[in-house]
Amino acid sequence: MKFRSDPSAIRGSLAPVVTPFTDAGAVDHDSLRALVRWQLDSGSHGISLGGSTGEPSAQSVAERIAAMRTAADEIADRVPFLPGTGSAKLDETLELTAAAAELGADAALVITPYYARPTQEALYRWYATVAREFPDLPLVIYNVPSRTAVDIEPETVRRLFTDFDNVVGVKETTKDFEHFSRVLHACGPELLVWSGIELLCLPLMALGGAGFISAVANLAPAAVARMYELWEQGDHAGARALHYRLHPLVDLLFVETNPAPAKWVLARQGRIASDHVRPPLTAPTDAGLERIRALLAAGGDLTQQL
């Protein structure tokens, strides 16, 4: 939790790792440890767990907490740890966030409550409740309308950022790039904004973004981290070159529902023991695998450390 007191230091490529399962469907903690070690060895600037790529809605609260514990133990304060602690239920969100705080997380990534489609006032009250309950824990709003059916508006983010010192940032996973700009304009440069849309990660840096929480870091962590570093060093041409080289792997992720394609690749590379995804997701179809193999051939060199 050494980054908790200065959340402005939580920048760069924060890898949203998959949650590995055994063939029988149990959480595979050994594979999770191996993934975290690989991310650290590859230069990722932080680790997230339990966002959309981690299949949180298919796990129990106890399973999610146990996975957070494993990740926190392996990270050991070497880089920032931002576990996803949101749920469709407020009591579960509070329980998960409390566990994250106890385990030493540097911030909690709290998704907008899904399925219910709350109003903006309801979203404000939801996050206000979490912020008041954990005043010493930095909170990052997680906006992913394609999965939750609700879009937290820039003005609502501004209200929360203004009213609560521990609301420090937002992960924007929307293809509406205008939304990114309006959030930063409403809140100012002190708000930390990460992109969760792979092909908007680099463009966000031009607006003053803090980095990216990009699923492609599961496949090419060194390349994604290096892209951020090149941008920060002023080598914008080098960063753009990596951005375009990553295109095939980005497309691979979404051949079928994420994270099934990523898990298939990771299992074939021996980084996790099984490509199992929990229902309602399924392993890639034969047609999907044909496309995945072609895209891996096009961009697979980046799955090795640079």
Side-chain angles (χ1 to χ4, degrees):
M1 57 184 287
K2 70 179 181 181
F3 302 95
R4 188 183 294 183
S5 61
D6 182 17
S8 66
I10 306 174
R11 294 177 177 272
S13 174
L14 313 180
V17 298
V18 303
T19 302
F21 301 122
T22 66
D23 283 334
V27 177
D28 181 353
H29 291 267
D30 290 338
S31 288
L32 178 56
R33 284 187 180 276
L35 280 183
V36 171
R37 285 195 297 270
W38 180 50
Q39 290 291 337
L40 296 175
D41 291 344
S42 299
S44 291
H45 307 111
I47 302 293
S48 183
L49 176 71
S52 302
T53 301
E55 300 175 73
S57 62
Q59 297 174 61
S60 69
V61 169
E63 286 176 320
R64 292 177 66 181
I65 291 173
M68 281 194 283
R69 182 175 295 109
T70 294
D73 181 65
E74 194 64 39
I75 294 165
D77 265 349
R78 286 176 283 178
V79 298
F81 179 38
L82 274 73
T85 63
S87 168
K89 297 176 63 181
L90 183 58
D91 60 339
E92 291 183 354
T93 297
L94 295 176
E95 183 179 356
L96 287 158
T97 306
E102 182 181 349
L103 290 169
D106 298 285
L109 182 66
V110 183
I111 197 169
T112 51
Y114 36 90
Y115 186 76
R117 302 184 68 184
T119 65
Q120 294 301 306
E121 179 61 26
L123 287 171
Y124 174 86
R125 295 183 187 185
W126 176 280
Y127 282 105
T129 299
V130 181
R132 291 190 185 101
E133 187 77 14
F134 305 100
D136 299 322
L137 179 66
L139 300 177
V140 176
I141 297 165
Y142 180 13
N143 187 36
V144 53
S146 66
R147 288 187 182 260
T148 65
V150 65
D151 191 2
I152 188 165
E153 295 176 0
E155 175 58 20
T156 307
V157 176
R158 186 202 64 77
R159 287 179 65 195
L160 290 161
F161 184 60
T162 300
D163 292 350
F164 299 97
D165 291 341
N166 58 328
V167 175
V168 300
V170 58
K171 175 186 176 182
E172 287 289 357
T173 307
T174 170
K175 292 185 178 181
D176 179 5
F177 197 52
E178 182 177 312
H179 184 97
F180 288 71
S181 187
R182 293 194 180 279
V183 167
L184 280 160
H185 183 247
C187 299
E190 293 79 16
L191 181 76
L192 301 170
V193 181
W194 294 270
S195 175
I197 295 291
E198 282 63 35
L199 297 186
L200 294 181
C201 286
L202 188 61
L204 175 62
M205 299 306 294
L207 298 180
F212 2 105
I213 307 177
S214 168
V216 77
N218 279 286
L219 300 181
V224 179
R226 185 61 177 155
M227 183 170 68
Y228 173 85
E229 292 164 0
L230 288 172
W231 177 271
E232 288 295 288
Q233 293 163 8
D235 185 356
H236 297 168
R240 280 195 298 271
L242 272 179
H243 166 85
Y244 288 117
R245 285 179 64 194
L246 283 164
H247 265 240
L249 295 182
V250 172
D251 292 342
L252 183 159
L253 289 174
F254 303 105
V255 166
E256 293 180 7
T257 305
N258 176 49
K263 280 189 162 183
W264 185 88
V265 173
L266 290 169
R268 295 310 176 277
Q269 293 178 337
R271 302 198 185 280
I272 58 177
S274 170
D275 64 358
H276 184 88
V277 289
R278 283 186 176 176
L281 300 185
T282 61
T285 62
D286 289 344
L289 287 176
E290 183 177 356
R291 180 69 175 146
I292 288 168
R293 290 188 179 99
L295 290 166
L296 187 60
D301 61 310
L302 289 182
T303 65
Q304 308 301 316
Q305 292 187 8
L306 294 179

PDB file of all heavy atoms in Angstrom, residues 190-215:
ATOM      1  N   GLU A 190      -5.873  17.269 -12.620  1.00  0.00           N
ATOM      2  CA  GLU A 190      -5.572  16.484 -11.412  1.00  0.00           C
ATOM      3  C   GLU A 190      -6.295  15.142 -11.413  1.00  0.00           C
ATOM      4  O   GLU A 190      -5.862  14.201 -10.739  1.00  0.00           O
ATOM      5  CB  GLU A 190      -5.946  17.262 -10.153  1.00  0.00           C
ATOM      6  CG  GLU A 190      -5.094  18.498  -9.902  1.00  0.00           C
ATOM      7  CD  GLU A 190      -5.512  19.679 -10.771  1.00  0.00           C
ATOM      8  OE1 GLU A 190      -6.649  19.626 -11.330  1.00  0.00           O
ATOM      9  OE2 GLU A 190      -4.712  20.617 -10.915  1.00  0.00           O
ATOM     10  N   LEU A 191      -7.411  15.037 -12.144  1.00  0.00           N
ATOM     11  CA  LEU A 191      -8.107  13.754 -12.237  1.00  0.00           C
ATOM     12  C   LEU A 191      -7.253  12.765 -13.017  1.00  0.00           C
ATOM     13  O   LEU A 191      -6.750  13.077 -14.098  1.00  0.00           O
ATOM     14  CB  LEU A 191      -9.458  13.921 -12.937  1.00  0.00           C
ATOM     15  CG  LEU A 191     -10.278  12.628 -13.063  1.00  0.00           C
ATOM     16  CD1 LEU A 191     -10.907  12.254 -11.738  1.00  0.00           C
ATOM     17  CD2 LEU A 191     -11.356  12.783 -14.144  1.00  0.00           C
ATOM     18  N   LEU A 192      -7.083  11.566 -12.478  1.00  0.00           N
ATOM     19  CA  LEU A 192      -6.343  10.515 -13.160  1.00  0.00           C
ATOM     20  C   LEU A 192      -7.300   9.748 -14.065  1.00  0.00           C
ATOM     21  O   LEU A 192      -8.316   9.233 -13.602  1.00  0.00           O
ATOM     22  CB  LEU A 192      -5.717   9.568 -12.140  1.00  0.00           C
ATOM     23  CG  LEU A 192      -4.756  10.221 -11.138  1.00  0.00           C
ATOM     24  CD1 LEU A 192      -4.388   9.235 -10.032  1.00  0.00           C
ATOM     25  CD2 LEU A 192      -3.510  10.741 -11.833  1.00  0.00           C
ATOM     26  N   VAL A 193      -6.977   9.708 -15.355  1.00  0.00           N
ATOM     27  CA  VAL A 193      -7.841   9.023 -16.316  1.00  0.00           C
ATOM     28  C   VAL A 193      -7.030   7.972 -17.053  1.00  0.00           C
ATOM     29  O   VAL A 193      -5.979   8.278 -17.628  1.00  0.00           O
ATOM     30  CB  VAL A 193      -8.469  10.003 -17.321  1.00  0.00           C
ATOM     31  CG1 VAL A 193      -9.385   9.249 -18.296  1.00  0.00           C
ATOM     32  CG2 VAL A 193      -9.259  11.081 -16.595  1.00  0.00           C
ATOM     33  N   TRP A 194      -7.528   6.731 -17.009  1.00  0.00           N
ATOM     34  CA  TRP A 194      -6.909   5.622 -17.731  1.00  0.00           C
ATOM     35  C   TRP A 194      -7.871   5.161 -18.815  1.00  0.00           C
ATOM     36  O   TRP A 194      -9.083   5.169 -18.618  1.00  0.00           O
ATOM     37  CB  TRP A 194      -6.626   4.444 -16.810  1.00  0.00           C
ATOM     38  CG  TRP A 194      -5.605   4.706 -15.748  1.00  0.00           C
ATOM     39  CD1 TRP A 194      -4.255   4.517 -15.816  1.00  0.00           C
ATOM     40  CD2 TRP A 194      -5.862   5.201 -14.421  1.00  0.00           C
ATOM     41  NE1 TRP A 194      -3.658   4.870 -14.630  1.00  0.00           N
ATOM     42  CE2 TRP A 194      -4.621   5.293 -13.758  1.00  0.00           C
ATOM     43  CE3 TRP A 194      -7.020   5.593 -13.736  1.00  0.00           C
ATOM     44  CZ2 TRP A 194      -4.501   5.742 -12.443  1.00  0.00           C
ATOM     45  CZ3 TRP A 194      -6.909   6.043 -12.437  1.00  0.00           C
ATOM     46  CH2 TRP A 194      -5.664   6.108 -11.805  1.00  0.00           C
ATOM     47  N   SER A 195      -7.331   4.728 -19.935  1.00  0.00           N
ATOM     48  CA  SER A 195      -8.167   4.169 -20.990  1.00  0.00           C
ATOM     49  C   SER A 195      -8.257   2.664 -20.846  1.00  0.00           C
ATOM     50  O   SER A 195      -7.253   1.981 -20.642  1.00  0.00           O
ATOM     51  CB  SER A 195      -7.591   4.501 -22.370  1.00  0.00           C
ATOM     52  OG  SER A 195      -8.348   3.848 -23.380  1.00  0.00           O
ATOM     53  N   GLY A 196      -9.470   2.148 -20.986  1.00  0.00           N
ATOM     54  CA  GLY A 196      -9.678   0.711 -21.045  1.00  0.00           C
ATOM     55  C   GLY A 196     -10.010   0.248 -22.447  1.00  0.00           C
ATOM     56  O   GLY A 196     -10.299  -0.929 -22.656  1.00  0.00           O
ATOM     57  N   ILE A 197      -9.978   1.166 -23.411  1.00  0.00           N
ATOM     58  CA  ILE A 197     -10.173   0.833 -24.821  1.00  0.00           C
ATOM     59  C   ILE A 197      -8.794   0.802 -25.465  1.00  0.00           C
ATOM     60  O   ILE A 197      -8.086   1.817 -25.511  1.00  0.00           O
ATOM     61  CB  ILE A 197     -11.071   1.862 -25.524  1.00  0.00           C
ATOM     62  CG1 ILE A 197     -12.487   1.836 -24.934  1.00  0.00           C
ATOM     63  CG2 ILE A 197     -11.106   1.620 -27.029  1.00  0.00           C
ATOM     64  CD1 ILE A 197     -13.287   0.589 -25.233  1.00  0.00           C
ATOM     65  N   GLU A 198      -8.411  -0.345 -25.977  1.00  0.00           N
ATOM     66  CA  GLU A 198      -7.033  -0.564 -26.415  1.00  0.00           C
ATOM     67  C   GLU A 198      -6.558   0.456 -27.436  1.00  0.00           C
ATOM     68  O   GLU A 198      -5.465   1.019 -27.308  1.00  0.00           O
ATOM     69  CB  GLU A 198      -6.899  -1.987 -26.979  1.00  0.00           C
ATOM     70  CG  GLU A 198      -6.791  -3.078 -25.929  1.00  0.00           C
ATOM     71  CD  GLU A 198      -8.030  -3.200 -25.045  1.00  0.00           C
ATOM     72  OE1 GLU A 198      -9.156  -2.982 -25.559  1.00  0.00           O
ATOM     73  OE2 GLU A 198      -7.877  -3.510 -23.843  1.00  0.00           O
ATOM     74  N   LEU A 199      -7.360   0.742 -28.432  1.00  0.00           N
ATOM     75  CA  LEU A 199      -6.910   1.636 -29.495  1.00  0.00           C
ATOM     76  C   LEU A 199      -7.086   3.107 -29.147  1.00  0.00           C
ATOM     77  O   LEU A 199      -6.751   3.985 -29.949  1.00  0.00           O
ATOM     78  CB  LEU A 199      -7.621   1.304 -30.810  1.00  0.00           C
ATOM     79  CG  LEU A 199      -7.325  -0.100 -31.354  1.00  0.00           C
ATOM     80  CD1 LEU A 199      -7.960  -0.286 -32.725  1.00  0.00           C
ATOM     81  CD2 LEU A 199      -5.826  -0.366 -31.426  1.00  0.00           C
ATOM     82  N   LEU A 200      -7.565   3.399 -27.940  1.00  0.00           N
ATOM     83  CA  LEU A 200      -7.614   4.780 -27.454  1.00  0.00           C
ATOM     84  C   LEU A 200      -6.594   5.025 -26.349  1.00  0.00           C
ATOM     85  O   LEU A 200      -6.535   6.125 -25.807  1.00  0.00           O
ATOM     86  CB  LEU A 200      -9.017   5.122 -26.960  1.00  0.00           C
ATOM     87  CG  LEU A 200     -10.099   5.147 -28.039  1.00  0.00           C
ATOM     88  CD1 LEU A 200     -11.454   5.534 -27.443  1.00  0.00           C
ATOM     89  CD2 LEU A 200      -9.737   6.096 -29.181  1.00  0.00           C
ATOM     90  N   CYS A 201      -5.789   4.007 -26.018  1.00  0.00           N
ATOM     91  CA  CYS A 201      -4.801   4.178 -24.955  1.00  0.00           C
ATOM     92  C   CYS A 201      -3.793   5.268 -25.297  1.00  0.00           C
ATOM     93  O   CYS A 201      -3.590   6.210 -24.529  1.00  0.00           O
ATOM     94  CB  CYS A 201      -4.072   2.860 -24.703  1.00  0.00           C
ATOM     95  SG  CYS A 201      -5.064   1.637 -23.818  1.00  0.00           S
ATOM     96  N   LEU A 202      -3.159   5.150 -26.441  1.00  0.00           N
ATOM     97  CA  LEU A 202      -2.157   6.146 -26.813  1.00  0.00           C
ATOM     98  C   LEU A 202      -2.787   7.509 -27.089  1.00  0.00           C
ATOM     99  O   LEU A 202      -2.268   8.530 -26.616  1.00  0.00           O
ATOM    100  CB  LEU A 202      -1.341   5.672 -28.015  1.00  0.00           C
ATOM    101  CG  LEU A 202      -0.140   6.565 -28.349  1.00  0.00           C
ATOM    102  CD1 LEU A 202       0.848   6.623 -27.191  1.00  0.00           C
ATOM    103  CD2 LEU A 202       0.558   6.068 -29.610  1.00  0.00           C
ATOM    104  N   PRO A 203      -3.904   7.597 -27.816  1.00  0.00           N
ATOM    105  CA  PRO A 203      -4.518   8.913 -28.011  1.00  0.00           C
ATOM    106  C   PRO A 203      -4.852   9.635 -26.708  1.00  0.00           C
ATOM    107  O   PRO A 203      -4.758  10.867 -26.635  1.00  0.00           O
ATOM    108  CB  PRO A 203      -5.783   8.600 -28.812  1.00  0.00           C
ATOM    109  CG  PRO A 203      -5.436   7.378 -29.585  1.00  0.00           C
ATOM    110  CD  PRO A 203      -4.564   6.570 -28.653  1.00  0.00           C
ATOM    111  N   LEU A 204      -5.246   8.885 -25.663  1.00  0.00           N
ATOM    112  CA  LEU A 204      -5.568   9.531 -24.393  1.00  0.00           C
ATOM    113  C   LEU A 204      -4.376  10.286 -23.817  1.00  0.00           C
ATOM    114  O   LEU A 204      -4.548  11.311 -23.154  1.00  0.00           O
ATOM    115  CB  LEU A 204      -6.057   8.481 -23.378  1.00  0.00           C
ATOM    116  CG  LEU A 204      -6.317   8.998 -21.960  1.00  0.00           C
ATOM    117  CD1 LEU A 204      -7.419  10.051 -21.951  1.00  0.00           C
ATOM    118  CD2 LEU A 204      -6.670   7.847 -21.020  1.00  0.00           C
ATOM    119  N   MET A 205      -3.170   9.817 -24.077  1.00  0.00           N
ATOM    120  CA  MET A 205      -2.002  10.484 -23.520  1.00  0.00           C
ATOM    121  C   MET A 205      -1.891  11.925 -24.013  1.00  0.00           C
ATOM    122  O   MET A 205      -1.436  12.812 -23.292  1.00  0.00           O
ATOM    123  CB  MET A 205      -0.729   9.704 -23.865  1.00  0.00           C
ATOM    124  CG  MET A 205      -0.698   8.282 -23.308  1.00  0.00           C
ATOM    125  SD  MET A 205      -0.974   8.222 -21.522  1.00  0.00           S
ATOM    126  CE  MET A 205       0.499   9.064 -20.953  1.00  0.00           C
ATOM    127  N   ALA A 206      -2.338  12.180 -25.236  1.00  0.00           N
ATOM    128  CA  ALA A 206      -2.289  13.542 -25.773  1.00  0.00           C
ATOM    129  C   ALA A 206      -3.236  14.484 -25.029  1.00  0.00           C
ATOM    130  O   ALA A 206      -3.031  15.704 -25.033  1.00  0.00           O
ATOM    131  CB  ALA A 206      -2.621  13.533 -27.258  1.00  0.00           C
ATOM    132  N   LEU A 207      -4.259  13.917 -24.381  1.00  0.00           N
ATOM    133  CA  LEU A 207      -5.206  14.727 -23.618  1.00  0.00           C
ATOM    134  C   LEU A 207      -4.795  14.904 -22.164  1.00  0.00           C
ATOM    135  O   LEU A 207      -5.446  15.646 -21.418  1.00  0.00           O
ATOM    136  CB  LEU A 207      -6.598  14.091 -23.664  1.00  0.00           C
ATOM    137  CG  LEU A 207      -7.253  13.955 -25.032  1.00  0.00           C
ATOM    138  CD1 LEU A 207      -8.628  13.314 -24.892  1.00  0.00           C
ATOM    139  CD2 LEU A 207      -7.361  15.310 -25.719  1.00  0.00           C
ATOM    140  N   GLY A 208      -3.747  14.205 -21.748  1.00  0.00           N
ATOM    141  CA  GLY A 208      -3.314  14.294 -20.362  1.00  0.00           C
ATOM    142  C   GLY A 208      -3.663  13.086 -19.528  1.00  0.00           C
ATOM    143  O   GLY A 208      -3.734  13.170 -18.298  1.00  0.00           O
ATOM    144  N   GLY A 209      -3.877  11.949 -20.169  1.00  0.00           N
ATOM    145  CA  GLY A 209      -4.221  10.733 -19.447  1.00  0.00           C
ATOM    146  C   GLY A 209      -3.090  10.232 -18.575  1.00  0.00           C
ATOM    147  O   GLY A 209      -1.915  10.558 -18.783  1.00  0.00           O
ATOM    148  N   ALA A 210      -3.463   9.398 -17.585  1.00  0.00           N
ATOM    149  CA  ALA A 210      -2.484   8.834 -16.654  1.00  0.00           C
ATOM    150  C   ALA A 210      -1.909   7.516 -17.155  1.00  0.00           C
ATOM    151  O   ALA A 210      -0.936   7.017 -16.590  1.00  0.00           O
ATOM    152  CB  ALA A 210      -3.129   8.621 -15.285  1.00  0.00           C
ATOM    153  N   GLY A 211      -2.519   6.939 -18.183  1.00  0.00           N
ATOM    154  CA  GLY A 211      -2.037   5.656 -18.685  1.00  0.00           C
ATOM    155  C   GLY A 211      -3.179   4.811 -19.173  1.00  0.00           C
ATOM    156  O   GLY A 211      -4.207   5.325 -19.602  1.00  0.00           O
ATOM    157  N   PHE A 212      -2.995   3.484 -19.086  1.00  0.00           N
ATOM    158  CA  PHE A 212      -3.983   2.577 -19.632  1.00  0.00           C
ATOM    159  C   PHE A 212      -4.145   1.343 -18.745  1.00  0.00           C
ATOM    160  O   PHE A 212      -3.212   0.906 -18.086  1.00  0.00           O
ATOM    161  CB  PHE A 212      -3.627   2.099 -21.052  1.00  0.00           C
ATOM    162  CG  PHE A 212      -2.334   2.592 -21.615  1.00  0.00           C
ATOM    163  CD1 PHE A 212      -1.232   1.760 -21.708  1.00  0.00           C
ATOM    164  CD2 PHE A 212      -2.222   3.903 -22.077  1.00  0.00           C
ATOM    165  CE1 PHE A 212      -0.040   2.206 -22.254  1.00  0.00           C
ATOM    166  CE2 PHE A 212      -1.030   4.359 -22.619  1.00  0.00           C
ATOM    167  CZ  PHE A 212       0.063   3.518 -22.701  1.00  0.00           C
ATOM    168  N   ILE A 213      -5.362   0.838 -18.744  1.00  0.00           N
ATOM    169  CA  ILE A 213      -5.677  -0.449 -18.115  1.00  0.00           C
ATOM    170  C   ILE A 213      -6.233  -1.295 -19.242  1.00  0.00           C
ATOM    171  O   ILE A 213      -7.439  -1.412 -19.438  1.00  0.00           O
ATOM    172  CB  ILE A 213      -6.657  -0.281 -16.946  1.00  0.00           C
ATOM    173  CG1 ILE A 213      -6.139   0.767 -15.956  1.00  0.00           C
ATOM    174  CG2 ILE A 213      -6.865  -1.617 -16.222  1.00  0.00           C
ATOM    175  CD1 ILE A 213      -7.070   1.071 -14.791  1.00  0.00           C
ATOM    176  N   SER A 214      -5.330  -1.850 -20.020  1.00  0.00           N
ATOM    177  CA  SER A 214      -5.653  -2.429 -21.317  1.00  0.00           C
ATOM    178  C   SER A 214      -5.488  -3.938 -21.311  1.00  0.00           C
ATOM    179  O   SER A 214      -4.429  -4.455 -20.951  1.00  0.00           O
ATOM    180  CB  SER A 214      -4.740  -1.814 -22.384  1.00  0.00           C
ATOM    181  OG  SER A 214      -4.816  -2.524 -23.592  1.00  0.00           O
ATOM    182  N   ALA A 215      -6.514  -4.645 -21.772  1.00  0.00           N
ATOM    183  CA  ALA A 215      -6.493  -6.110 -21.769  1.00  0.00           C
ATOM    184  C   ALA A 215      -5.384  -6.682 -22.627  1.00  0.00           C
ATOM    185  O   ALA A 215      -4.939  -7.807 -22.392  1.00  0.00           O
ATOM    186  CB  ALA A 215      -7.846  -6.651 -22.235  1.00  0.00           C
TER     187      ALA A 215
END
